Amino acid sequence: MFEISDKPITTEQVNKAVLGPGQGAIVNFVGVVRDHSRGQKVIELEYFAYKGMAEKKLRQIGDEIKKNWGLDAVAIVHRVGRLQIGDNAVVIAVASPHRAEAFEACKYAIDRIKQIVPIWKKEYGEGGAEWVEECHVQVGEAPQRS
């Protein structure tokens, strides 16, 4: 499951996509909309994505995790549209037989999303709206696991 969605996301729905009889651990990362950013109050956020390319890049991250850790039980869902404080913006689930690999791969996934997935964020605060640099799209090979 590698999706860009305009619907609310739950950890339960994402975890179902990775749960299997050989999995001993599921590690989640849940990015939640907070009420402040860069010293300013945030009222709400709006995410935009180039959906087709973003989903392709999310799948690429899953492929990189499979290559680097041997794990193929990965699911990533990122929300777009207007989100309120406390809403889930992104949910990542990585399942593995053992926890260490799942933790490493989950951290890799969120870091990699920030690097290559075409998603943009606009923050709405008391002073108005402001675009926030999120995606640092880079060309080239994925970093290898050390």
Side-chain angles (χ1 to χ4, degrees), residues 1-9 13-14 47-59 61 75-81 83 89-91 113 116-120:
M1 169 188 290
F2 300 99
E3 295 179 10
I4 299 296
S5 176
D6 60 358
K7 306 282 189 259
I9 312 163
Q13 80 187 71
V14 180
Y47 281 99
F48 300 85
Y50 175 12
K51 185 176 180 174
M53 181 58 74
E55 288 178 343
K56 179 179 176 183
K57 291 296 187 179
L58 293 176
R59 279 190 293 280
I61 293 167
I76 306 170
V77 181
H78 201 297
R79 190 149 168 220
V80 292
L83 282 72
V90 60
V91 177
I113 287 169
I116 68 168
V117 182
I119 297 171
W120 300 273

Side-chain angles (χ1 to χ4, degrees), residues 25-97:
I26 297 176
V27 173
N28 291 119
F29 174 83
V30 181
V32 180
V33 178
R34 64 181 179 265
D35 68 354
H36 65 281
S37 178
R38 297 168 288 111
Q40 303 294 318
K41 181 170 178 57
V42 173
I43 298 168
E44 64 182 359
L45 297 179
E46 191 168 11
Y47 281 99
F48 300 85
Y50 175 12
K51 185 176 180 174
M53 181 58 74
E55 288 178 343
K56 179 179 176 183
K57 291 296 187 179
L58 293 176
R59 279 190 293 280
Q60 176 185 327
I61 293 167
D63 292 343
E64 291 170 6
I65 288 170
K66 184 173 185 175
K67 179 180 176 185
N68 290 329
W69 285 274
L71 304 176
D72 58 4
V74 179
I76 306 170
V77 181
H78 201 297
R79 190 149 168 220
V80 292
R82 288 214 176 199
L83 282 72
Q84 303 305 307
I85 305 305
D87 285 349
N88 293 342
V90 60
V91 177
I92 300 168
V94 178
S96 68

